[in-house]
Amino acid sequence: MQKRQLGNSDLQITPVGYGAWAIGGSGWQFAWGSQSDNDSIAAIHRALELGVNWIDTAAVYGLGHSEEVVARALKEWSGPRPYVFTKCGLRWDAKGEVSKVLRSDSIRREVEDSLRRLKLDVIDLYQIHWPPDPDSPELEEGWSTMADLKGEGKCVGSACQISMPSKSAAQKPSRRLRRCSRRTR
């Protein structure tokens, strides 16, 4: 399968990856319903056999369960390790209710929790999930923390999923967002 450079990173990824949202299973706010962990692991292995070289998950998928299933699949996989992408910024409480949090202390807890669940030393791409408004001070704090994590070797790259509300907003990204993106390159 062909590979392409991901942005300005050194990552060479296949045009198709494995999305692990559904394998988080049921029992949480954005669940897809019950999933068999064994079937999920078999699906990941099949995708890797077909040449896919990256898996995208998130801490919030299944309230951590998706990352645990990905870790099991990687442990049982005998081929080259695929890139693992995961996300921060969505936290859950004891009731499983999800909220957006981009404070530095939260992101630092999240990265450590994700590394533990994934059984990895480093995350290949760490993303901000459902970010706040691009001019938000919380986004600035989140980006700064992500840049620090990259410098500390916790992640290879970092990214932010941005939804622009209008064409004019897309043409003029905020000054803060431009500054943050330059810092993470």
Side-chain angles (χ1 to χ4, degrees), residues 22-165:
I23 70 172
S26 62
W28 66 290
Q29 190 174 355
F30 301 102
W32 285 55
S34 288
Q35 308 294 323
S36 158
D37 289 352
N38 290 334
D39 288 348
S40 297
I41 290 167
I44 290 170
H45 288 169
R46 184 64 181 139
L48 298 175
E49 289 166 2
L50 292 171
V52 166
N53 77 342
W54 59 279
I55 299 170
D56 179 72
T57 187
V60 75
Y61 298 165
L63 309 181
H65 187 68
S66 175
E67 290 182 334
E68 292 168 345
V69 174
V70 168
R72 284 183 49 205
L74 295 177
K75 181 179 180 183
E76 297 171 16
W77 176 245
S78 59
R81 184 180 79 75
Y83 295 121
V84 178
F85 305 163
T86 195
K87 303 171 196 76
C88 67
L90 294 179
R91 300 286 296 177
W92 58 93
D93 61 19
K95 295 178 185 175
E97 294 178 13
V98 177
S99 59
K100 293 180 184 180
V101 182
L102 279 179
R103 289 186 319 272
S104 181
D105 62 330
S106 180
I107 292 174
R108 287 187 170 282
R109 274 195 313 275
E110 287 181 72
V111 76
E112 294 301 333
D113 290 345
S114 289
L115 288 167
R116 178 184 43 77
R117 280 190 296 266
L118 289 163
K119 299 184 184 335
L120 295 174
D121 295 324
V122 65
I123 294 166
D124 298 302
L125 181 66
Y126 202 44
Q127 305 164 84
I128 294 176
H129 210 171
W130 296 358
D133 181 273
D135 288 317
S136 160
E138 193 174 20
L139 183 57
E140 174 81 16
E141 182 176 352
W143 264 119
S144 294
T145 304
M146 303 252 313
D148 292 344
L149 292 174
K150 185 176 174 184
E152 294 165 19
K154 301 283 184 183
C155 59
V156 175
S158 56
C160 185
Q161 301 171 340
I162 300 290
S163 297
M164 294 296 183

